[in-house]
Amino acid sequence: MSPSTRSDAVHVRAPGKINLGLVVGRRQEDGFHPLATVFQAVSAYEDVTAHPAESGVTVTVSGLHADRVPTGEQNLAVRAARLLAESTGVEAAVRLHIRKGVPVAGGMAGGSADAAATLVACDTLWRTGLSRDDLAELGAALGSDVPFPLAGQTAIGRGRGDLLTPAMSRGEYHWALALQDTGLSTPEVFGVFDELIAGAVVDDPQADRTLMQALRAGDAAELGRALRNDLQPAALELAPHLAETLAVAQDAGALGVVVSGSGPTVAALGRSRQHALAIAAAVTAAGVADDVLCVTGPVAGARLSGGAEMLASAGTPGDRG
């Protein structure tokens, strides 16, 4: 198919995530750790626009932390487009633009959301006709977190986090996110985790039952008490100032506070949207974050949006505190 016969630009929005529970197993011989994690997709979004091109894959970036995003071959969106083209036999020809709303290296899978959105956008632009399961399989080859932004909502991730099972969840949850300008390296966090636990972990981690019961009941208070992240001590070892961020959010009455994924984003659960805004204001006043963002979850996974409705049709963006 020549570029002149392809459709016009395609817009896709994909969500970032919070790890409500992250249970980490012992490092395996392949270097990876088995995980049992509970993902919740939240209303901090990555917007990817795929434009027809004569040849090649290029990417430009704007929005949150845009200056920290590589635009060469190491960019996950570029890799996603190339992988889709290679897998389907089409020419890799697309001009991508990413509008970021998810922190870079913040433990919220912003790069993975870019890859997920790019897979959907290029599949539509190039009319390759793959199913979501097919796209998720390609996504898993790019990174363990890529399949989840395709699915969204709430899910349990097993294996490396890429084997997803939808989780029953009731209600809407309101979060204040404390963001840091300096990210944390996921491999480095796992390395410190290995040093700290000294082998005192299981080989077959399981999702926390109390947390899952709280989600099924829609009980925000119980969910707050059940939040868990086995990587949090390692993140605090590398970024000790996060302890103060956690403390300020707790003092502001958060139902629960947790470092998301490998950090350094701190997620504080509020009783309501207004309470989440109040927590964000307290964090800002204390000067313990470089930025704050209020989001809700769960939200849908990567999906097409059109024209002027690109930002509005996929839900309400996060409110800055």
Side-chain angles (χ1 to χ4, degrees):
M1 183 185 297
S2 66
S4 61
T5 62
R6 291 173 180 159
S7 60
D8 293 333
V10 176
H11 310 283
V12 176
R13 164 168 279 191
K17 57 83 176 170
I18 295 172
N19 295 84
L20 306 180
L22 178 54
V23 184
V24 182
R26 185 178 291 105
R27 183 177 182 271
Q28 305 297 297
E29 291 183 0
D30 60 5
F32 288 91
H33 298 72
L35 306 175
T37 185
V38 182
F39 295 116
Q40 183 173 97
V42 296
S43 59
Y45 294 105
E46 300 286 279
D47 288 292
V48 173
T49 306
H51 299 269
E54 292 296 328
S55 63
V57 179
T58 59
V59 63
T60 54
V61 185
S62 63
L64 182 66
H65 299 161
D67 58 323
R68 293 166 51 191
V69 179
T71 55
E73 294 299 317
Q74 67 271 48
N75 184 283
L76 266 178
V78 171
R79 291 172 54 198
R82 293 195 182 283
L83 179 60
L84 177 63
E86 180 183 345
S87 301
T88 57
V90 303
E91 181 186 359
V94 65
R95 179 166 53 89
L96 301 168
H97 180 73
I98 300 169
R99 183 178 181 274
K100 291 196 62 61
V102 179
V104 173
M108 293 185 63
S112 296
D114 293 339
T118 297
L119 288 171
V120 174
C122 289
D123 175 67
T124 303
L125 184 71
W126 296 336
R127 300 176 185 174
T128 50
L130 298 189
S131 68
R132 281 298 174 108
D133 287 344
D134 293 333
L135 293 178
E137 185 174 347
L138 289 178
L142 293 164
S144 301
D145 280 344
V146 176
F148 178 68
L150 285 165
Q153 301 296 346
T154 306
I156 301 171
R158 299 296 304 276
R160 298 178 184 177
D162 58 320
L163 305 177
L164 299 178
T165 303
M168 183 180 296
S169 177
R170 295 180 180 176
E172 185 176 58
Y173 300 92
H174 302 274
W175 301 89
L177 306 180
L179 313 182
Q180 307 292 334
D181 285 342
T182 302
L184 288 175
S185 161
T186 297
E188 189 173 358
V189 172
F190 271 99
V192 174
F193 168 82
D194 289 334
E195 295 173 4
L196 292 177
I197 56 93
V201 290
V202 299
D203 290 317
D204 185 26
Q206 302 292 323
D208 185 88
R209 290 185 179 181
T210 303
L211 189 151
M212 300 309 300
Q213 290 169 354
L215 287 171
R216 286 194 293 270
D219 188 333
E222 186 62 28
L223 176 63
R225 288 188 287 270
L227 295 175
R228 170 179 175 176
N229 181 2
D230 285 359
L231 293 180
Q232 184 164 305
L236 291 173
E237 187 79 11
L238 291 167
H241 60 281
L242 294 179
E244 189 175 1
T245 309
L246 292 163
V248 169
Q250 289 167 343
D251 290 344
L255 298 176
V257 188
V258 69
V259 173
S260 180
S262 57
T265 299
V266 170
L269 179 59
R271 296 186 299 272
S272 64
R273 180 176 181 274
Q274 291 72 24
H275 185 216
L277 288 168
I279 296 170
V283 169
T284 299
V288 293
D290 294 312
D291 201 356
V292 293
L293 188 66
C294 290
V295 298
T296 58
V299 298
R303 61 196 186 279
L304 295 163
S305 54
E309 293 77 36
M310 180 178 65
L311 296 181
S313 65
T316 302
D319 299 308
R320 294 198 174 277

